Amino acid sequence: MIQDLRNLLQGLGRRLLPAPAAPVTLNDPEWAALCASVPFIELLSPDEALALRERIGQFLARKTFKGIGLELLPWQRNMITAYACLPILHLGIDAYRDWQTVLVYPDTFAPEQEWVDEAGVHHQAVVPQAGEAWERGPVVLSWNDIAADGAVIVHEMTHTLDAGNGDVNGFPPLPESMSAADWTAAFSAAYEHLREELERGREPAIDPYAATDPAEFLAVACEYFFFAPGYLRDELPEIYLQLAGYFRQEPHLRAPEISTHLPGAAA
């Protein structure tokens, strides 16, 4: 009886949820223009390119783009979406289910931020940003910044994946095939080593911004994973291994380094 009631309520819940929007289909000229403008696409296998085109259509159908002081054109949305969909190539569009909106400023924006430092001192300041992502959206981007470096988009999208467990803390929902203990051990060791190297005044293996907190470490590591995979695999092999298992991709097989500059895309 209880199970029958549960099934009835679940069925009712499914009927009350809005049906997913039909995917947007990029026509052949739009797809060709995108492939010519986004460097990583030409390095994908035929199956990966087909999957990316499908993910792009799903993303465009489900997400709302808003330009802030910027008239955002279809080709710009397509470029942003291509980078946004690279991390979910095999994870699927539902990995981005908990947020709806992408806000795009023409240039670096400066939101007011508050934080408490390690000494317990409260700070408040206006901090220039190229991108920002909230746990339940929106994702905020600067067009001129992402035109210069599309990896910013992957960085912010990683934060939304990270939030899938309820917190943005460097620990996204892992597939059953992966060990949470192995993930934690690899990332904790690499994060602590980075902080130690910086404290000693040594040149770090990756961008020092990764030492901000575990969430930023993950987001920065993902930039390297997708666009400097050969380097990450050499310098932080355990991190590369964990990310390869999570994303089910091996970008080092595409190229050791992949450009993230979008030619001709400056606003």
Side-chain angles (χ1 to χ4, degrees), residues 128-179:
Q129 300 274 9
E132 186 175 53
W134 297 83
E135 290 183 32
R136 294 296 177 264
V139 172
V140 190
L141 301 168
S142 153
W143 175 255
N144 280 343
D145 284 297
I146 62 179
D149 184 5
V152 173
I153 303 169
V154 165
H155 182 109
E156 300 306 331
M157 294 299 162
T158 298
H159 285 318
T160 72
L161 295 173
D162 189 2
N165 276 331
D167 293 306
V168 182
N169 57 7
F171 188 77
L174 300 178
E176 291 183 0
S177 60
M178 294 188 68
S179 163

Side-chain angles (χ1 to χ4, degrees), residues 34-193:
L34 190 61
C35 291
S37 301
V38 177
F40 76 79
I41 297 180
E42 68 177 0
L43 300 173
L44 300 177
S45 71
D47 286 345
E48 288 175 327
L50 186 63
L52 180 70
R53 192 170 181 177
E54 179 181 355
R55 294 283 175 266
I56 289 171
Q58 294 167 336
F59 190 99
L60 290 171
R62 298 188 187 193
K63 306 303 179 187
T64 300
F65 284 82
K66 294 183 180 179
I68 309 297
L70 170 70
E71 181 184 357
L72 200 62
L73 300 175
W75 65 269
Q76 293 173 301
R77 290 197 298 270
N78 293 347
M79 280 187 174
I80 293 169
T81 301
Y83 276 90
C85 289
L86 180 59
I88 61 164
L89 197 62
H90 300 301
L91 294 178
I93 191 64
D94 284 344
Y96 289 156
R97 64 186 175 275
D98 292 331
W99 59 275
Q100 175 70 32
T101 306
V102 180
L103 302 180
V104 185
Y105 285 84
D107 210 338
T108 302
F109 53 96
E112 186 174 291
Q113 296 189 359
E114 298 184 23
W115 70 97
V116 178
D117 64 22
E118 294 179 355
V121 178
H122 182 269
H123 299 267
Q124 188 172 6
V126 173
V127 182
Q129 300 274 9
E132 186 175 53
W134 297 83
E135 290 183 32
R136 294 296 177 264
V139 172
V140 190
L141 301 168
S142 153
W143 175 255
N144 280 343
D145 284 297
I146 62 179
D149 184 5
V152 173
I153 303 169
V154 165
H155 182 109
E156 300 306 331
M157 294 299 162
T158 298
H159 285 318
T160 72
L161 295 173
D162 189 2
N165 276 331
D167 293 306
V168 182
N169 57 7
F171 188 77
L174 300 178
E176 291 183 0
S177 60
M178 294 188 68
S179 163
D182 289 348
W183 176 282
T184 300
F187 275 88
S188 296
Y191 175 67
E192 291 303 325
H193 180 72

Side-chain angles (χ1 to χ4, degrees), residues 192-215:
E192 291 303 325
H193 180 72
L194 174 62
R195 289 173 62 89
E196 289 171 5
E197 292 293 279
L198 291 172
E199 288 175 0
R200 294 171 181 170
R202 296 176 179 172
E203 186 71 22
I206 61 175
D207 189 334
Y209 187 65
T212 303
D213 57 43

